[in-house]
Amino acid sequence: MNWLTTRRHFTLMVAPALIIYSLYMIYPILYSLYYSFTNFDGVSAGGFAGLDNYRQMGQDDAFWTSMRNTGIILGIALFLLIPLGFLLAILLSGRVKGSGAMRALVFAPAIIAPILVGLIWIFILDPKIGLVNAFLLAIGVPAHPQWIGGPTLSPYSIGFVYLWQQIGFVLTIFYAGLRMLPRDVMEASSLDGASRWQQLRHIQIPMMRETFGIVTALVVTGVFKVFELVYALTGGGPVHLSEVMVSYMYHITFTTQQYGYGMALAVVVFVVGALASAATFLGNRRKGEVR
Amino acid sequence: MATSPQPAPLTSRRHSGISRRLLLTATASALFVTATACGSAVNTADGSSSDGLITLSMHNPDSKTQDPATWQMVQEFNKKHPDMKIKLEGQPVDQHEQRMTIAAQSGTLPEIFWVYDSLAKTMVKSDDLLDLSPILAENDLKAKFAPSMLAGFQRDGVQYGLPYQALVTGFYYNKAILDEHKIAVPETFEDLLAAVKKLKAAGVVPIAQGANNSSFSVWAFLTMLDRFGYESKYQDILSGKASYDNADFLRLYQHVQELAKAGAFPSNMNTQTYAQAVASYTDGKAAFLDAGVWEAAKIQKSTVGEDTGFWAGPTFSDGVGEQKLVMNVPSAPFVVSAKVKDDKKKYAAVKAFIQFYYSDAGQKILVDNAQPPVTTYEPAVDAEKNSVFAAVLAEASKPGWKSPKAQPDLVVSAATASAMYDSFYGVMGGSLSPEEAVKNVQKTIK
């Protein structure tokens, strides 16, 4: 079976798939870039508009709001989702009774379609009919915060629901990483008298650096694809105050039929997402090299 | 009379652009529509239906329950024409519009379909739609329409659309709730404001309204815009001679803010859908519902059916021009794919369907399903059995009242229409001041 291990043959075998994939990915992206410089209305060919769409974006308050909201969700994902996922993985990887069932329970939201997650959480967060405000009322808190549908809290609520949905997935990756750690190192540290905290800080976290890198990259790319949660929870409203970049792009392109502007937004989302992902990968690589 | 599939088109004038647009669509889909279910395919690449002679594509996922008039119309047509078959399909409004746009790009439009007028106008520019004048000329069909019903769907001498249904909009009101709180049916804005305050104090939702994923449902407020001179102003606004940000419109938005501050709208308006708003009204939890004639049958069947009346909305002492206005206009049109003319059998089927739809028999089907006729057909409505529909018809034909020519959002671009919906909902929900609301709409006018 020499032909499978020969580099030239292997390259030849991979090449068709690589070419098709490249064409499928790169060619349309270049065409979107082209249309982002036009005023294409979706049906009839649009004229060349130069940088008009990008200038419009600069003056579009809703676009900046969508950027800010995406940033809020990204912050929640980086500073709450990842640490909490890791913490839960640590807890469930110990010899806790029922940890298997707990893992399954925490993972469950990850297998529910995001649009359904949104629908479920409407019944929890809705300011009028939601369980949270009903609970607050029951314990004597008179305030009825507008968790969703209001001008302020919606992106935070969406970030929290995203956390709830993704934490099982993050936990599972961390859990697998923890299980892969060599047991003898932990046992040796125990014999040397290391406390649980010292083991965590000086052994487990450093040895999990690569897993952290993968999780961070997945979470960052995932945040730039959040759409269904927003669609189901708030529809981007009120007046686009809870839009994220992708949902706003959808609104502009398909609801208002400004395809040229929508393509410009698509390009910006793509570039911002790609930069964030690249920064994450580079950061991980550097940390690896320093180590 | 079975028909053959439509032959593949010869060289199209847009042939070279098709692959580009398809690529663009593929990118758009790949980048940001991963969650959107697309439903069944529109048509096969050569324009033929896979399991029917022609396809009628609508903006309701389940026409049988959401648009029973059209559903029954198609059943009757198929029964009467065994040699022809119409396949009825549909999706929610947004998805439907998106599908029709993509279908126009790829040359796979269904034979006949509903579409917002702004998109129809775009399609006309690209010669995607059939001129329906020859069909209207046959059997003197044109004479069945009031001229205003057809005038809005003409461009450069081409009759590209026909009124699908009549759009009569305003407020349904629950007489029992109003009586219980000793409130007379309002006439002026001051009456409405006083009623709202009284109802709010009594713990009743004054006006059922739902903005989540149904941000277009501000019909009664669009009529109010006409009571501040929209019809005489909009052409100047669109041509840049005037601005949407003007003192008259601003006064209306200030009135909307007064209503909002008085508690006219439910606190969960922004998370509630239009369907949920309707449900809150039919459950007897709201005194008014901002909707239109299409809800008459559903309300009739509900527990509040017998107590429901219909009101065209408030007149304003500081309004502009005619105040006695009731919105009774053609809704978004039926249009026909230009490709239909290439296939005689498809053309015959489309023609037969149009002739049937606008015949007295067809209009009776509309009326039987609580839809006003769009032709001059005079319906006989049992006011006892269909009291809600009768109330709508009575309000629409009130002596001394007239209708604008078109609903305000149907004469502007999709972007401006969307900004108009946002402007009303923004003020109702307190997210926008009246000044910001009118400015935001103006920004979309290029």
Side-chain angles (χ1 to χ4, degrees):
Chain A
M1 301 296 278
N2 190 35
W3 58 276
L4 253 184
T5 52
T6 306
R7 187 182 244 185
R8 192 164 64 91
H9 286 147
F10 189 76
T11 308
L12 278 173
M13 287 171 71
V14 171
L18 199 67
I19 291 167
I20 292 168
Y21 177 79
S22 302
L23 281 175
Y24 177 74
M25 285 297 292
I26 296 167
Y27 196 54
I29 287 171
L30 289 177
Y31 262 101
S32 330
L33 185 65
Y34 165 72
Y35 273 102
S36 75
F37 295 106
T38 70
N39 49 23
F40 180 45
D41 62 12
V43 179
S44 51
F48 186 68
L51 290 170
D52 283 1
N53 290 324
Y54 292 93
R55 271 192 218 107
Q56 184 180 346
M57 209 180 297
Q59 297 159 356
D60 185 348
D61 294 340
F63 166 70
W64 292 109
T65 304
S66 73
M67 266 245 192
R68 190 201 61 163
N69 292 343
T70 306
I72 289 171
I73 298 170
L74 184 63
I76 289 172
L78 290 177
F79 298 111
L80 283 179
L81 171 61
I82 294 176
L84 281 176
F86 180 66
L87 196 66
L88 270 177
I90 291 278
L91 290 175
L92 294 178
S93 64
R95 285 174 189 163
V96 184
K97 223 177 181 182
S99 65
M102 279 293 287
R103 278 199 310 277
L105 208 63
V106 177
F107 188 70
I111 58 170
I112 304 173
I115 198 91
L116 292 179
V117 171
L119 290 175
I120 292 166
W121 276 88
I122 280 183
F123 291 102
I124 298 170
L125 295 176
D126 187 279
K128 194 174 176 190
I129 59 165
L131 285 174
V132 175
N133 278 1
F135 173 73
L136 289 178
L137 195 68
I139 60 169
V141 180
H144 279 74
Q146 293 239 309
W147 302 109
I148 51 174
T152 317
L153 295 176
S154 295
Y156 298 96
S157 299
I158 292 165
F160 177 77
V161 176
Y162 181 70
L163 183 152
W164 179 83
Q165 187 204 2
Q166 291 293 319
I167 198 161
F169 177 63
V170 170
L171 177 153
T172 305
I173 298 176
F174 279 130
Y175 181 80
L178 285 168
R179 301 290 288 181
M180 296 289 283
L181 293 182
R183 277 169 185 245
D184 50 349
V185 178
M186 294 294 282
E187 282 167 6
S189 66
S190 291
L191 290 173
D192 288 343
S195 66
R196 190 70 192 89
W197 168 247
Q198 285 170 323
Q199 284 180 328
L200 181 68
R201 191 178 161 197
H202 298 292
I203 301 173
Q204 284 179 306
I205 291 179
M207 290 181 83
M208 291 278 287
R209 217 179 274 277
E210 224 159 278
T211 312
F212 270 103
I214 291 166
V215 169
T216 308
L218 288 173
V219 163
V220 168
T221 50
V223 164
F224 285 96
K225 290 189 288 189
V226 171
F227 172 80
E228 302 96 320
L229 284 182
V230 177
Y231 189 81
L233 279 170
T234 65
V239 286
H240 308 296
L241 288 170
S242 65
E243 298 276 16
V244 290
M245 291 169 84
V246 181
S247 66
Y248 187 58
M249 188 166 43
Y250 178 87
H251 168 77
I252 288 294
T253 312
F254 295 112
T255 305
T256 72
Q257 291 163 15
Q258 299 176 84
Y259 277 72
Y261 185 33
M263 288 304 105
L265 288 167
V267 168
V268 169
V269 175
F270 174 74
V271 169
V272 172
L275 285 175
S277 306
T280 311
F281 280 117
L282 276 176
N284 291 335
R285 189 180 285 178
R286 257 187 215 156
K287 277 180 193 164
E289 282 165 5
V290 169
R291 189 155 58 90
Chain B
M1 190 178 75
T3 57
S4 59
Q6 186 172 313
L10 297 174
T11 312
S12 155
R13 105 189 136 70
R14 288 189 296 136
H15 178 79
S16 61
I18 285 172
S19 58
R20 292 174 189 181
R21 287 175 203 134
L22 279 174
L23 274 168
L24 180 68
T25 303
T27 316
S29 304
L31 286 175
F32 55 89
V33 199
T34 50
T36 314
C38 282
S40 58
V42 174
N43 259 343
T44 52
D46 64 357
S48 64
S49 297
S50 57
D51 56 355
L53 182 64
I54 60 169
T55 300
L56 170 60
S57 190
M58 300 296 292
H59 57 298
N60 290 302
D62 178 11
S63 288
K64 191 173 179 180
T65 55
Q66 293 170 310
D67 185 4
T70 305
W71 187 82
Q72 198 186 328
M73 193 83 76
V74 169
Q75 307 311 310
E76 291 292 321
F77 178 83
N78 285 342
K79 219 185 287 174
K80 277 181 197 291
H81 297 82
D83 53 339
M84 300 173 178
K85 188 173 185 292
I86 291 181
K87 179 187 163 199
L88 179 60
E89 60 176 27
Q91 309 79 39
V93 177
D94 274 5
Q95 284 179 33
H96 174 76
E97 287 269 306
Q98 186 185 324
R99 280 188 63 207
M100 293 306 107
T101 307
I102 292 170
Q105 291 164 22
S106 56
T108 57
L109 281 169
E111 282 73 28
I112 181 164
F113 54 103
W114 176 101
V115 72
Y116 273 136
D117 195 37
S118 55
L119 182 54
K121 282 195 172 95
T122 310
M123 290 179 178
V124 177
K125 277 195 281 181
S126 306
D127 295 334
D128 287 316
L129 301 182
L130 187 71
D131 182 3
L132 302 171
S133 307
I135 295 176
L136 286 176
E138 283 192 39
N139 302 324
D140 206 15
L141 186 61
K142 194 173 180 181
K144 284 184 175 288
F145 293 92
S148 62
M149 278 288 174
L150 296 176
F153 306 130
Q154 291 164 358
R155 192 186 170 101
D156 301 330
V158 173
Q159 185 72 46
Y160 63 83
L162 296 173
Y164 143 67
Q165 284 175 359
L167 202 58
V168 183
T169 61
F171 290 112
Y172 288 102
Y173 58 87
N174 185 323
K175 283 176 277 189
I177 292 179
L178 296 186
D179 289 347
E180 189 188 335
H181 297 95
K182 297 183 174 50
I183 298 168
V185 178
E187 286 181 17
T188 65
F189 175 76
E190 286 72 25
D191 296 341
L192 176 62
L193 189 62
V196 161
K197 285 176 181 168
K198 221 167 179 181
L199 290 163
K200 178 73 181 170
V204 177
V205 172
I207 303 173
Q209 199 90 46
N212 189 9
N213 288 318
S214 43
S215 55
F216 46 86
S217 45
V218 288
W219 300 282
F221 294 85
L222 293 172
T223 311
M224 293 182 209
L225 202 50
D226 272 316
R227 297 193 181 106
F228 280 81
Y230 182 86
E231 195 157 75
S232 60
K233 286 186 174 83
Y234 82 85
Q235 274 166 340
D236 282 348
I237 291 172
L238 295 181
S239 67
K241 287 181 199 157
S243 171
Y244 193 92
D245 180 5
N246 64 69
D248 295 333
F249 290 0
L250 183 61
R251 277 204 306 288
L252 168 63
Y253 282 89
Q254 283 163 344
H255 288 315
V256 177
Q257 190 179 46
E258 282 177 77
L259 283 178
K261 283 184 176 168
F265 309 106
S267 57
N268 63 338
M269 182 188 77
N270 289 326
T271 53
Q272 178 168 266
T273 63
Y274 166 70
Q276 288 167 326
V278 175
S280 77
Y281 178 82
T282 53
D283 287 349
K285 291 175 184 160
F288 294 89
L289 169 69
D290 178 358
V293 65
W294 57 89
E295 297 294 358
K298 187 187 281 178
I299 292 171
Q300 189 73 61
K301 283 181 199 151
S302 76
T303 52
V304 301
E306 286 180 8
D307 296 320
T308 291
F310 187 75
W311 175 46
T315 57
F316 294 84
S317 56
D318 58 352
V320 175
E322 184 60 72
Q323 294 299 296
K324 290 180 176 176
L325 292 176
V326 55
M327 191 64 71
N328 182 8
V329 295
S331 68
F334 271 140
V335 293
V336 175
S337 166
K339 281 190 173 183
V340 164
K341 67 173 177 278
D342 299 334
D343 185 315
K344 281 182 185 168
K345 288 176 181 172
K346 280 181 191 292
Y347 184 80
V350 165
K351 190 170 68 179
F353 179 66
I354 289 174
Q355 292 279 351
F356 174 68
Y357 194 95
Y358 298 103
S359 69
D360 287 355
Q363 294 300 292
K364 187 175 179 305
I365 292 174
L366 283 187
V367 173
D368 289 346
N369 287 281
Q371 291 292 336
V374 287
T375 66
T376 50
Y377 170 74
E378 288 186 12
V381 178
D382 183 343
E384 286 281 309
K385 214 172 140 192
N386 295 308
S387 57
V388 180
F389 182 48
V392 177
L393 288 183
E395 188 75 357
S397 55
K398 212 157 55 168
W401 286 60
K402 54 185 184 182
S403 173
K405 283 182 187 148
Q407 189 170 269
D409 58 329
L410 297 181
V411 295
V412 295
S413 69
T416 302
S418 176
M420 282 164 76
Y421 310 141
D422 286 344
S423 68
F424 282 112
Y425 270 125
V427 176
M428 287 174 189
S431 306
L432 291 177
S433 69
E435 290 78 9
E436 288 169 331
V438 290
K439 276 192 177 75
N440 283 358
V441 179
Q442 179 57 36
K443 274 184 202 167
T444 64
I445 299 167
K446 293 168 185 168

